[in-house]
Amino acid sequence: MGKKLVIPTSLFFNCISLTTVVFPLGLSAINQTAFYNCSKLTSVSIYNNSDEFFVYASAFERCTSLQTVYFEYQPRSLDNYSFASCTSLETVSITKSISSGVLLTGAFENCTSLTHFPFSDYILYSVFPRAFYNCPLSKTIDFRSTISLDLSSYAFASPIIETLDFRALNLTHLTIINTTFRDCPNIKCAMGHDQAEDILKSVFDEDIVNGKHCPGNAFPLPLLLGLVIGGSVLVIIIVVVVVVFVMKKKKKLVQNEMAMSKPLISEPNLPNT
């Protein structure tokens, strides 16, 4: 077996002038604090990385100009604070998910611009405390690629999140605790089937779990307006038809009454000449 390709610990630690990095193909790990506080680094793109790829503790912590992160293969682990306090980070993306991954404590904590994370493609196994704390993320978090999932305390803290989707077809295990989403005050919907639904009901109010605010359950406003407008038009048409019918009926009655009240005048018989 060939030697694994690894970026050593603290290799670019505090290199505040570093703006660009070309990562080698076949990379298997980025060791702890390798790019810590590289405050001018703007993007990270890692192609053809190993499917056993790890980003270790604080590897990119405090890279405050970092905006995008791309992995061809989903990492097996993003370690403690690996991208913490990357305050300009907006998007994390992947192309392939082969095996489940772990997001350890504070992996993206205080990434206050992070609005795009590939939850729907990421095969998550565990999300540790504060992994996404103070990350805005998006209105809907979709965990439907997950098979087994543990969500720890205060893993999320965002006023943006409104809907959680746990309708994974192959979900075999789900753990959520009362504090996992405690600092997400605007969650209106949590969707799940079977076991997931029961677990969600132990954490959220019942009107949130598969409730009226969930997509498909609420009566669509455009449809409601259409029915109201359509119903109003139908009522008007019916009223007009009835009025016309009544007026015609009344007119016919008047004509009949006039005909019956008209005196009969017979012509006189003239003598034959």
Side-chain angles (χ1 to χ4, degrees):
M1 182 180 292
K3 188 176 180 179
K4 291 185 176 180
L5 189 57
V6 174
I7 294 182
T9 298
S10 301
L11 181 64
F12 297 100
F13 183 92
N14 208 32
C15 289
I16 58 174
S17 297
L18 182 67
T19 59
T20 304
V21 178
V22 178
F23 291 92
L25 300 179
L27 192 62
S28 62
I30 299 175
N31 276 351
Q32 62 188 29
T33 64
F35 295 92
Y36 183 92
N37 199 35
C38 292
S39 56
K40 292 186 178 179
L41 183 64
T42 58
S43 67
V44 169
S45 296
I46 300 176
Y47 296 90
N48 196 29
N49 54 294
S50 165
D51 57 0
E52 291 286 324
F53 177 71
F54 298 84
V55 179
Y56 288 106
S58 300
F60 294 93
E61 185 176 357
R62 298 186 62 81
C63 292
T64 53
S65 296
L66 186 62
Q67 296 178 14
T68 60
V69 173
Y70 169 77
F71 301 106
E72 184 172 358
Y73 289 94
Q74 171 190 312
R76 285 299 301 271
S77 174
L78 297 180
D79 217 341
N80 299 338
Y81 308 105
S82 48
F83 289 93
S85 298
C86 294
T87 53
S88 297
L89 180 60
E90 297 177 357
T91 301
V92 177
S93 57
I94 61 172
T95 297
K96 303 172 185 176
S97 300
I98 296 178
S99 54
S100 58
V102 178
L103 304 179
L104 295 185
T105 300
F108 292 96
E109 184 173 5
N110 290 326
C111 290
T112 53
S113 299
L114 183 59
T115 55
H116 296 88
F117 187 88
F119 287 104
S120 59
D121 300 318
Y122 217 97
I123 304 176
L124 283 170
Y125 175 76
S126 185
V127 180
F128 276 54
R130 304 180 73 88
F132 290 99
Y133 203 84
N134 278 344
C135 300
L137 299 176
S138 57
K139 286 187 176 183
T140 300
I141 307 297
D142 183 347
F143 295 101
R144 284 188 289 175
S145 291
T146 298
I147 298 173
S148 177
L149 180 61
D150 291 315
L151 299 177
S152 299
S153 59
Y154 299 101
F156 298 85
S158 167
I160 304 298
I161 301 172
E162 294 182 359
T163 299
L164 304 172
D165 194 342
F166 293 94
R167 295 176 297 171
L169 296 177
N170 298 315
L171 186 65
T172 59
H173 170 81
L174 176 64
T175 299
I176 305 175
I177 59 177
N178 290 333
T179 55
T180 299
F181 295 98
R182 176 167 289 177
D183 291 338
C184 301
N186 294 316
I187 292 177
K188 300 176 182 178
C189 166
M191 295 182 288
H193 299 312
D194 303 326
Q195 177 193 8
E197 182 177 9
D198 294 336
I199 293 170
L200 291 172
K201 285 181 178 178
S202 70
V203 177
F204 298 102
D205 294 337
E206 287 201 10
D207 62 337
I208 288 178
V209 179
N210 296 325
K212 64 181 180 180
H213 295 292
C214 293
N217 290 348
F219 207 77
L221 182 58
L223 179 57
L224 179 61
L225 291 174
L227 289 175
V228 170
I229 294 171
S232 300
V233 171
L234 182 60
V235 168
I236 292 171
I237 292 172
I238 292 173
V239 169
V240 169
V241 170
V242 170
V243 169
V244 170
F245 176 79
V246 170
M247 290 179 68
K248 285 184 176 180
K249 190 76 172 175
K250 188 174 182 180
K251 184 178 180 181
K252 189 172 182 180
L253 287 172
V254 170
Q255 289 174 343
N256 289 340
E257 288 177 0
M258 291 178 65
M260 292 177 66
S261 61
K262 186 176 180 181
L264 296 175
I265 301 176
S266 58
E267 293 183 359
N269 294 324
L270 298 176
N272 292 329
T273 57

